[in-house]
Amino acid sequence: MSAGRGHGHGHGHSQAAGVSADRKLLGGALALILGFMVAEVIVGVAAGSLALITDAAHMLTDAIAIALALLAIRLAAKPPAGGFTYGFKRVEILSAQANGITLLLLAVYFVYEAVHRMIDPPEVKGALVLITGVVGIVVNLAATWLISKANRASLNVEGAFQHILNDLFAFIATAVAGLVVLLTGFARADAIAAFVVAVLMLKAGISLVRDSGRIFLEAAPIAIDPQALGAELCAVPGVVEVHDLHVWEITSGEPAASAHVMVAEGLDCHQIRVQIEEVLAARHQLTHSTLQVDHAVAGQRPDHCTDAHGPVHTTAHRAITGAGSAPDPANPPH
Protein backbone atom coordinates (compact mmCIF):
# COMPACT_ATOMS: atom_id res chain seq x y z
CA MET A 1 0.00 0.00 0.00
CA SER A 2 1.36 3.41 -0.83
CA ALA A 3 0.28 6.94 -0.16
CA GLY A 4 1.58 10.26 -1.34
CA ARG A 5 0.58 13.73 -0.39
CA GLY A 6 1.76 17.26 -1.01
CA HIS A 7 1.14 19.77 1.72
CA GLY A 8 1.57 23.27 0.27
CA HIS A 9 1.85 26.85 1.52
CA GLY A 10 -1.22 29.00 1.83
CA HIS A 11 -0.99 32.30 -0.04
CA GLY A 12 -3.77 34.44 1.36
CA HIS A 13 -4.62 38.09 1.75
CA SER A 14 -1.96 38.68 4.41
CA GLN A 15 0.80 37.60 2.04
CA ALA A 16 -0.58 39.74 -0.79
CA ALA A 17 -0.70 42.72 1.56
CA GLY A 18 2.90 42.04 2.60
CA VAL A 19 4.06 41.96 -1.02
CA SER A 20 2.24 45.23 -1.73
CA ALA A 21 3.88 46.86 1.29
CA ASP A 22 7.30 45.63 0.19
CA ARG A 23 6.78 47.19 -3.24
CA LYS A 24 5.91 50.57 -1.71
CA LEU A 25 8.89 50.50 0.65
CA LEU A 26 11.31 49.53 -2.11
CA GLY A 27 9.79 52.14 -4.44
CA GLY A 28 10.32 54.88 -1.84
CA ALA A 29 13.94 53.84 -1.35
CA LEU A 30 14.49 53.81 -5.13
CA ALA A 31 13.24 57.40 -5.48
CA LEU A 32 15.60 58.59 -2.75
CA ILE A 33 18.60 56.80 -4.25
CA LEU A 34 18.04 58.04 -7.81
CA GLY A 35 17.59 61.65 -6.73
CA PHE A 36 20.73 61.80 -4.66
CA MET A 37 22.83 59.79 -7.15
CA VAL A 38 22.47 62.49 -9.81
CA ALA A 39 23.55 65.20 -7.36
CA GLU A 40 26.50 63.13 -6.17
CA VAL A 41 27.89 62.56 -9.66
CA ILE A 42 27.92 66.32 -10.27
CA VAL A 43 29.61 67.11 -6.94
CA GLY A 44 32.07 64.19 -7.25
CA VAL A 45 33.35 65.41 -10.61
CA ALA A 46 33.62 68.98 -9.32
CA ALA A 47 35.50 67.91 -6.18
CA GLY A 48 37.78 65.41 -7.92
CA SER A 49 36.86 62.78 -5.32
CA LEU A 50 37.18 59.06 -6.06
CA ALA A 51 35.24 58.29 -2.89
CA LEU A 52 32.26 60.30 -4.15
CA ILE A 53 32.43 58.81 -7.64
CA THR A 54 32.73 55.38 -6.00
CA ASP A 55 29.64 56.09 -3.92
CA ALA A 56 27.73 57.37 -6.96
CA ALA A 57 28.56 54.23 -8.95
CA HIS A 58 27.53 52.12 -6.00
CA MET A 59 24.27 54.06 -5.76
CA LEU A 60 23.62 53.28 -9.42
CA THR A 61 23.98 49.58 -8.59
CA ASP A 62 21.70 50.21 -5.59
CA ALA A 63 19.06 51.62 -7.91
CA ILE A 64 19.46 48.66 -10.28
CA ALA A 65 19.33 46.26 -7.33
CA ILE A 66 16.10 47.76 -6.05
CA ALA A 67 14.59 47.80 -9.54
CA LEU A 68 15.52 44.13 -9.98
CA ALA A 69 14.01 43.35 -6.58
CA LEU A 70 10.76 45.06 -7.55
CA LEU A 71 10.65 43.17 -10.86
CA ALA A 72 11.42 39.88 -9.10
CA ILE A 73 8.64 40.46 -6.56
CA ARG A 74 6.17 41.09 -9.37
CA LEU A 75 7.23 37.97 -11.30
CA ALA A 76 7.31 35.78 -8.19
CA ALA A 77 3.68 36.70 -7.50
CA LYS A 78 2.58 35.16 -10.79
CA PRO A 79 0.82 31.77 -10.38
CA PRO A 80 2.41 28.57 -11.73
CA ALA A 81 1.68 28.03 -15.42
CA GLY A 82 2.79 25.67 -18.17
CA GLY A 83 6.18 24.13 -17.52
CA PHE A 84 6.91 26.49 -14.60
CA THR A 85 5.32 24.33 -11.92
CA TYR A 86 6.75 26.47 -9.10
CA GLY A 87 5.90 29.69 -10.89
CA PHE A 88 8.69 32.29 -11.02
CA LYS A 89 9.69 32.23 -7.37
CA ARG A 90 13.37 31.72 -8.13
CA VAL A 91 13.53 34.95 -10.10
CA GLU A 92 14.02 36.49 -6.65
CA ILE A 93 17.10 34.31 -6.16
CA LEU A 94 18.42 35.33 -9.58
CA SER A 95 18.03 38.94 -8.48
CA ALA A 96 19.89 38.27 -5.23
CA GLN A 97 22.72 36.53 -7.06
CA ALA A 98 22.99 39.38 -9.58
CA ASN A 99 23.25 41.82 -6.66
CA GLY A 100 25.99 39.72 -5.06
CA ILE A 101 28.03 39.42 -8.26
CA THR A 102 27.70 43.17 -8.88
CA LEU A 103 29.06 43.91 -5.41
CA LEU A 104 32.06 41.62 -6.02
CA LEU A 105 32.88 43.23 -9.38
CA LEU A 106 32.60 46.72 -7.93
CA ALA A 107 34.86 45.75 -5.03
CA VAL A 108 37.58 44.61 -7.44
CA TYR A 109 37.32 47.78 -9.52
CA PHE A 110 37.42 50.13 -6.54
CA VAL A 111 40.42 48.35 -5.04
CA TYR A 112 42.24 48.88 -8.34
CA GLU A 113 41.33 52.57 -8.45
CA ALA A 114 42.18 53.09 -4.78
CA VAL A 115 45.64 51.56 -5.26
CA HIS A 116 46.24 53.87 -8.21
CA ARG A 117 45.25 56.91 -6.14
CA MET A 118 47.35 55.81 -3.19
CA ILE A 119 50.37 55.85 -5.48
CA ASP A 120 49.48 59.11 -7.24
CA PRO A 121 46.87 60.99 -5.20
CA PRO A 122 44.99 63.76 -7.05
CA GLU A 123 43.83 66.99 -5.48
CA VAL A 124 40.65 66.43 -3.46
CA LYS A 125 38.30 69.22 -2.30
CA GLY A 126 37.66 68.12 1.27
CA ALA A 127 34.78 70.52 2.01
CA LEU A 128 32.65 69.29 -0.91
CA VAL A 129 33.42 65.67 -0.04
CA LEU A 130 32.48 66.21 3.61
CA ILE A 131 29.19 68.00 2.85
CA THR A 132 28.14 65.42 0.25
CA GLY A 133 29.09 62.58 2.57
CA VAL A 134 26.95 63.94 5.40
CA VAL A 135 23.94 64.45 3.10
CA GLY A 136 24.50 60.94 1.72
CA ILE A 137 24.41 59.50 5.24
CA VAL A 138 20.99 61.10 5.82
CA VAL A 139 19.60 59.88 2.48
CA ASN A 140 20.90 56.34 2.93
CA LEU A 141 19.68 56.17 6.52
CA ALA A 142 16.17 56.91 5.20
CA ALA A 143 16.50 54.35 2.38
CA THR A 144 17.95 51.73 4.74
CA TRP A 145 15.10 52.29 7.19
CA LEU A 146 12.51 51.87 4.42
CA ILE A 147 13.95 48.58 3.15
CA SER A 148 14.52 47.25 6.69
CA LYS A 149 10.73 47.41 7.10
CA ALA A 150 10.25 45.05 4.13
CA ASN A 151 10.43 41.26 4.36
CA ARG A 152 14.18 40.64 4.73
CA ALA A 153 13.57 36.90 5.02
CA SER A 154 13.45 37.13 1.21
CA LEU A 155 16.98 36.83 -0.16
CA ASN A 156 15.87 39.16 -2.94
CA VAL A 157 14.97 41.96 -0.50
CA GLU A 158 18.06 41.19 1.56
CA GLY A 159 20.20 41.69 -1.55
CA ALA A 160 18.76 45.17 -2.09
CA PHE A 161 19.13 45.91 1.63
CA GLN A 162 22.82 44.93 1.60
CA HIS A 163 23.44 47.29 -1.31
CA ILE A 164 21.88 50.21 0.55
CA LEU A 165 23.53 49.32 3.86
CA ASN A 166 26.95 49.18 2.19
CA ASP A 167 26.28 52.55 0.62
CA LEU A 168 25.51 53.96 4.08
CA PHE A 169 28.85 52.68 5.34
CA ALA A 170 30.48 54.13 2.23
CA PHE A 171 29.10 57.60 2.95
CA ILE A 172 30.30 57.42 6.53
CA ALA A 173 33.79 56.59 5.24
CA THR A 174 33.50 59.35 2.64
CA ALA A 175 32.50 61.96 5.22
CA VAL A 176 35.42 60.96 7.43
CA ALA A 177 37.78 61.14 4.44
CA GLY A 178 36.48 64.59 3.51
CA LEU A 179 37.00 65.82 7.07
CA VAL A 180 40.57 64.46 7.14
CA VAL A 181 41.39 66.09 3.80
CA LEU A 182 39.83 69.38 4.93
CA LEU A 183 41.71 69.49 8.24
CA THR A 184 45.07 67.97 7.28
CA GLY A 185 45.32 68.06 3.49
CA PHE A 186 46.03 64.29 3.47
CA ALA A 187 44.57 63.47 0.01
CA ARG A 188 45.19 59.72 0.35
CA ALA A 189 42.38 59.59 2.92
CA ASP A 190 39.99 59.56 -0.02
CA ALA A 191 41.58 56.38 -1.43
CA ILE A 192 41.63 54.77 2.02
CA ALA A 193 37.88 55.39 2.30
CA ALA A 194 37.41 53.68 -1.07
CA PHE A 195 39.37 50.66 0.29
CA VAL A 196 37.03 50.43 3.28
CA VAL A 197 33.97 50.52 1.03
CA ALA A 198 35.45 47.82 -1.24
CA VAL A 199 36.02 45.47 1.71
CA LEU A 200 32.40 45.90 2.85
CA MET A 201 31.18 45.24 -0.70
CA LEU A 202 33.30 42.10 -0.87
CA LYS A 203 31.87 40.75 2.39
CA ALA A 204 28.24 41.38 1.39
CA GLY A 205 28.78 40.07 -2.15
CA ILE A 206 30.29 36.79 -0.99
CA SER A 207 27.39 36.24 1.41
CA LEU A 208 24.73 36.85 -1.26
CA VAL A 209 26.43 34.68 -3.90
CA ARG A 210 26.92 31.87 -1.37
CA ASP A 211 23.33 31.90 -0.09
CA SER A 212 21.74 32.17 -3.53
CA GLY A 213 24.08 29.47 -4.84
CA ARG A 214 22.90 27.08 -2.12
CA ILE A 215 19.30 27.54 -3.27
CA PHE A 216 20.18 27.03 -6.95
CA LEU A 217 22.08 23.84 -6.04
CA GLU A 218 19.05 22.76 -3.96
CA ALA A 219 21.12 22.37 -0.82
CA ALA A 220 19.27 21.86 2.45
CA PRO A 221 18.47 25.03 4.42
CA ILE A 222 21.32 25.85 6.80
CA ALA A 223 19.07 25.29 9.83
CA ILE A 224 18.19 21.71 8.78
CA ASP A 225 20.60 18.75 8.94
CA PRO A 226 19.25 16.08 6.55
CA GLN A 227 21.10 13.29 8.40
CA ALA A 228 19.56 14.28 11.72
CA LEU A 229 16.17 14.73 10.06
CA GLY A 230 16.31 11.20 8.64
CA ALA A 231 17.02 9.80 12.10
CA GLU A 232 14.21 11.91 13.55
CA LEU A 233 11.69 10.56 11.04
CA CYS A 234 12.79 7.01 11.84
CA ALA A 235 11.86 7.75 15.46
CA VAL A 236 8.20 8.13 14.48
CA PRO A 237 6.44 5.01 15.79
CA GLY A 238 6.02 2.38 13.09
CA VAL A 239 8.64 3.79 10.68
CA VAL A 240 11.37 1.26 9.86
CA GLU A 241 13.21 3.06 7.05
CA VAL A 242 13.48 6.42 5.30
CA HIS A 243 15.32 6.91 2.02
CA ASP A 244 15.31 9.27 -0.96
CA LEU A 245 15.09 12.06 1.60
CA HIS A 246 15.49 15.46 -0.05
CA VAL A 247 15.30 18.87 1.62
CA TRP A 248 15.69 22.08 -0.37
CA GLU A 249 14.35 25.62 -0.73
CA ILE A 250 11.99 26.59 -3.55
CA THR A 251 12.99 30.18 -2.82
CA SER A 252 14.29 31.89 0.30
CA GLY A 253 12.00 31.17 3.25
CA GLU A 254 10.09 28.38 1.44
CA PRO A 255 11.68 25.04 2.37
CA ALA A 256 10.35 21.79 0.94
CA ALA A 257 10.95 18.10 1.53
CA SER A 258 10.25 14.74 -0.07
CA ALA A 259 10.97 11.22 1.09
CA HIS A 260 10.10 7.54 0.68
CA VAL A 261 9.04 6.09 4.02
CA MET A 262 8.74 2.41 4.84
CA VAL A 263 6.47 1.37 7.72
CA ALA A 264 5.95 -1.95 9.46
CA GLU A 265 3.43 -4.38 7.97
CA GLY A 266 -0.08 -4.18 9.34
CA LEU A 267 0.11 -0.51 10.37
CA ASP A 268 -1.92 2.37 8.94
CA CYS A 269 0.51 4.09 6.57
CA HIS A 270 -1.86 7.03 6.08
CA GLN A 271 -1.91 7.79 9.79
CA ILE A 272 1.87 7.52 10.01
CA ARG A 273 2.23 9.86 7.03
CA VAL A 274 0.14 12.44 8.89
CA GLN A 275 2.38 12.07 11.96
CA ILE A 276 5.48 12.62 9.84
CA GLU A 277 3.97 15.71 8.22
CA GLU A 278 3.24 17.08 11.69
CA VAL A 279 6.88 16.53 12.71
CA LEU A 280 8.14 18.26 9.56
CA ALA A 281 5.81 21.24 9.98
CA ALA A 282 5.99 21.75 13.74
CA ARG A 283 9.72 21.20 14.28
CA HIS A 284 11.24 22.34 10.98
CA GLN A 285 8.63 24.62 9.33
CA LEU A 286 8.56 22.17 6.40
CA THR A 287 4.93 22.71 5.45
CA HIS A 288 5.53 21.81 1.79
CA SER A 289 6.22 18.08 1.84
CA THR A 290 5.65 15.16 -0.53
CA LEU A 291 5.82 11.71 1.04
CA GLN A 292 5.54 8.24 -0.45
CA VAL A 293 4.67 5.75 2.26
CA ASP A 294 4.81 1.97 1.71
CA HIS A 295 4.68 -1.13 3.85
CA ALA A 296 8.04 -2.78 4.42
CA VAL A 297 8.37 -6.45 3.51
CA ALA A 298 10.97 -8.30 5.54
CA GLY A 299 14.14 -8.96 3.53
CA GLN A 300 12.90 -7.16 0.42
CA ARG A 301 13.35 -3.70 -1.09
CA PRO A 302 10.91 -2.24 -3.62
CA ASP A 303 12.21 -2.64 -7.18
CA HIS A 304 12.18 1.10 -7.79
CA CYS A 305 14.41 1.73 -4.75
CA THR A 306 17.42 -0.33 -5.82
CA ASP A 307 19.28 2.94 -6.42
CA ALA A 308 18.05 5.25 -3.68
CA HIS A 309 19.43 8.78 -3.70
CA GLY A 310 21.43 9.59 -0.60
CA PRO A 311 21.79 7.62 2.63
CA VAL A 312 19.24 5.08 3.80
CA HIS A 313 17.99 5.80 7.32
CA THR A 314 16.79 2.83 9.35
CA THR A 315 15.77 2.24 12.94
CA ALA A 316 18.79 -0.08 13.36
CA HIS A 317 21.18 2.60 12.09
CA ARG A 318 19.57 5.17 14.34
CA ALA A 319 20.10 2.95 17.34
CA ILE A 320 23.76 2.34 16.46
CA THR A 321 24.55 6.02 15.99
CA GLY A 322 22.91 6.94 19.27
CA ALA A 323 20.14 9.02 17.73
CA GLY A 324 17.66 7.27 19.98
CA SER A 325 16.31 3.84 20.73
CA ALA A 326 14.48 2.11 17.92
CA PRO A 327 10.80 1.35 18.38
CA ASP A 328 9.64 -2.22 17.91
CA PRO A 329 7.73 -2.17 14.57
CA ALA A 330 5.57 -5.07 15.70
CA ASN A 331 4.62 -3.30 18.93
CA PRO A 332 4.80 0.46 18.32
CA PRO A 333 4.33 2.69 21.35
CA HIS A 334 0.99 4.43 21.75
Side-chain angles (χ1 to χ4, degrees):
M1 177 185 241
S2 66
R5 178 184 177 187
H7 190 136
H9 289 286
H11 301 278
H13 295 294
S14 60
Q15 183 180 13
V19 170
S20 177
D22 286 351
R23 287 177 180 170
K24 291 179 181 178
L25 291 167
L26 289 171
L30 179 60
L32 284 172
I33 294 301
L34 286 175
F36 186 70
M37 181 191 70
V38 174
E40 190 178 21
V41 169
I42 296 172
V43 176
V45 172
S49 169
L50 174 63
L52 284 181
I53 300 298
T54 297
D55 290 338
H58 191 195
M59 291 193 82
L60 175 60
T61 66
D62 291 343
I64 294 172
I66 295 173
L68 279 175
L70 285 167
L71 177 62
I73 288 173
R74 182 176 295 275
L75 288 174
K78 290 181 176 294
F84 296 93
T85 56
Y86 279 127
F88 296 89
K89 293 181 181 295
R90 284 200 177 170
V91 171
E92 293 188 303
I93 309 305
L94 278 172
S95 172
Q97 190 162 75
N99 286 335
I101 292 172
T102 302
L103 285 171
L104 294 178
L105 293 176
L106 284 171
V108 172
Y109 173 72
F110 291 144
V111 166
Y112 170 79
E113 287 293 328
V115 169
H116 178 72
R117 291 207 172 198
M118 285 291 288
I119 297 171
D120 184 19
E123 181 183 354
V124 177
K125 298 177 182 178
L128 280 176
V129 176
L130 175 59
I131 293 170
T132 308
V134 171
V135 175
I137 290 172
V138 174
V139 171
N140 275 267
L141 273 173
T144 302
W145 179 81
L146 283 171
I147 298 183
S148 70
K149 295 293 184 180
N151 177 25
R152 288 181 55 201
S154 164
L155 198 58
N156 174 47
V157 174
E158 179 65 16
F161 177 80
Q162 285 299 328
H163 265 274
I164 303 301
L165 184 63
N166 274 272
D167 222 22
L168 173 60
F169 293 149
F171 274 112
I172 293 172
T174 298
V176 172
L179 182 62
V180 171
V181 173
L182 182 63
L183 296 179
T184 68
F186 181 60
R188 286 184 174 87
D190 185 70
I192 293 172
F195 267 127
V196 172
V197 176
V199 170
L200 294 172
M201 286 181 181
L202 189 65
K203 180 177 181 295
I206 290 173
S207 176
L208 285 171
V209 171
R210 181 195 62 221
D211 293 346
S212 60
R214 284 184 60 87
I215 292 177
F216 280 129
L217 293 174
E218 298 196 337
I222 294 176
I224 299 177
D225 178 0
Q227 192 70 21
L229 180 61
E232 187 176 356
L233 297 185
C234 281
V236 174
V239 174
V240 297
E241 181 180 308
V242 175
H243 56 266
D244 279 341
L245 173 62
H246 301 288
V247 188
W248 70 98
E249 285 185 282
I250 299 169
T251 187
S252 52
E254 289 193 27
S258 65
H260 190 183
V261 181
M262 310 300 293
V263 303
E265 288 186 273
L267 299 182
D268 186 343
C269 60
H270 297 287
Q271 181 182 3
I272 292 174
R273 185 202 67 229
V274 171
Q275 293 175 20
I276 293 174
E277 288 175 345
E278 290 174 351
V279 169
L280 293 173
R283 300 182 187 176
H284 304 285
Q285 289 71 56
L286 284 164
T287 55
H288 189 115
S289 60
T290 303
L291 304 173
Q292 178 181 352
V293 184
D294 290 310
H295 285 124
V297 179
Q300 295 184 17
R301 294 286 302 280
D303 292 338
H304 62 280
C305 291
T306 56
D307 185 24
H309 298 129
V312 175
H313 307 275
T314 65
T315 53
H317 178 264
R318 183 174 55 80
I320 293 172
T321 56
S325 58
D328 182 355
N331 297 286
H334 299 286

